[in-house]
Amino acid sequence: MVTQIPIPTQQQIIYPESDGKPIANNTDQFRWILVIQQNIEWMYANDENVFVAGDLFWYPVQGRPNIVNAADVMVVFGTPKRRRSSYQQWNESGIAPQVVFEILSPSNSQDEMDTKLLFYDRHQVEEYYIYNPTNNQLRGWLRGEDGLDAIASMENYASPRLAIRFDLSGDQLQIYRPDGTRFFSYVEICQLLEQAEQRAELAETALGEERRRSQILAERLREMGINPDELS
């Protein structure tokens, strides 16, 4: 007797949300994931049809939960901002992430990165960038007629999709927004906010002091029988 094993329906197929592995293996890798993801999300904060995610499982093929990858950062144009447990492409009008970033750690093997490149090439990523904070090396690929082609030089290269520019002239990568503003870390943003608040407080204090001096002068003029309102 042959027992027929029922084929699971689409509703029965489970698409895991995590593999139990940490987001990052060291502080440098984690910091860069946050910096890139948060700054790009900031750039498109007012565009409801740009979705930016970090370490989110992407399933490109319905019914194939074994075909999956979690990019360190991915950017998707044409799909709305909302909470997602995973990016299931068939539920996103078939739109694949257009831009992907990976941040290397010492644990990443060459075979692993080759597999990622093949995945992104096969599933229609337009731009793919790998940054290694250890040696300040940035590599990139751009989709051409035959798939993802390696970008010859990344120095001062500007992403066609994001219009951000990569500067490798210093000890570590600097990324600049289209308006020339540098990508900031969360700590740097907090410091800038504190400085802005301090400047505002100093300006308010100076304005208050000026008003006090004006009031004293007006009182003295009145004591001398002069109406200060008539002097203006």
Side-chain angles (χ1 to χ4, degrees):
M1 178 178 179
V2 177
T3 302
Q4 291 286 339
I5 300 175
I7 299 174
T9 65
Q10 291 297 332
Q11 289 75 18
Q12 293 173 321
I13 295 175
I14 296 174
Y15 299 91
E17 300 172 8
S18 172
D19 56 7
K21 297 179 181 179
I23 294 176
N25 293 320
N26 57 59
T27 55
D28 278 348
Q29 185 184 27
F30 184 69
R31 184 178 72 84
W32 273 104
I33 292 171
L34 285 181
V35 165
I36 293 174
Q37 191 273 332
Q38 290 292 295
N39 277 270
I40 295 176
E41 189 164 34
W42 182 17
M43 284 172 52
Y44 294 100
N46 297 322
D47 191 332
E48 288 302 317
N49 286 312
V50 179
F51 174 63
V52 186
D55 195 46
L56 184 70
F57 272 22
W58 165 23
Y59 293 97
V61 182
Q62 186 174 16
R64 298 292 300 276
N66 60 313
I67 302 177
V68 59
N69 193 58
D72 287 335
V73 180
M74 69 180 190
V75 186
V76 192
F77 291 82
T79 197
K81 290 176 170 57
R82 61 179 173 84
R83 184 189 179 280
R84 292 168 170 85
S85 299
S86 63
Y87 189 85
Q88 298 176 7
Q89 190 171 325
W90 56 94
N91 290 326
E92 308 287 350
S93 301
I95 301 173
Q98 291 93 350
V99 185
V100 167
F101 293 84
E102 295 283 359
I103 309 300
L104 287 185
S105 72
S107 65
N108 292 126
S109 68
Q110 187 60 52
D111 286 346
E112 177 186 0
M113 301 315 295
D114 288 345
T115 300
K116 285 179 179 287
L117 176 59
L118 180 61
F119 181 95
Y120 297 139
D121 189 20
R122 181 172 294 165
H123 297 293
Q124 303 304 306
V125 167
E126 295 177 8
E127 302 176 36
Y128 175 35
Y129 303 101
I130 300 176
Y131 180 55
N132 187 344
T134 302
N135 59 10
N136 192 35
Q137 182 184 57
L138 177 67
R139 300 168 64 196
W141 289 262
L142 181 66
R143 181 161 296 279
E145 292 182 359
D146 300 319
L148 287 174
D149 298 324
I151 299 168
S153 174
M154 291 302 302
E155 176 57 35
N156 280 320
Y157 181 81
S159 158
R161 267 281 186 177
L162 305 176
I164 59 176
R165 181 174 62 84
F166 304 102
D167 179 6
L168 292 162
S169 61
D171 295 334
Q172 65 175 5
L173 173 66
Q174 298 289 351
I175 306 176
Y176 293 89
R177 293 162 52 123
D179 64 2
T181 304
R182 180 171 62 85
F183 273 25
F184 293 111
S185 68
Y186 176 75
V187 172
E188 289 172 328
I189 291 171
C190 288
Q191 290 172 339
L192 289 171
L193 287 174
E194 287 179 354
Q195 292 169 7
E197 289 174 356
Q198 289 171 359
R199 287 194 297 268
E201 289 173 0
L202 289 173
E204 183 64 27
T205 299
L207 181 60
E209 182 63 25
E210 181 63 28
R211 287 171 179 168
R212 190 182 69 83
R213 287 196 296 265
S214 296
Q215 290 171 354
I216 292 173
L217 177 60
E219 290 173 1
R220 289 179 179 175
L221 288 172
R222 289 190 180 97
E223 290 172 358
M224 298 168 59
I226 301 172
N227 185 351
D229 295 334
E230 295 177 353
L231 298 177
S232 57

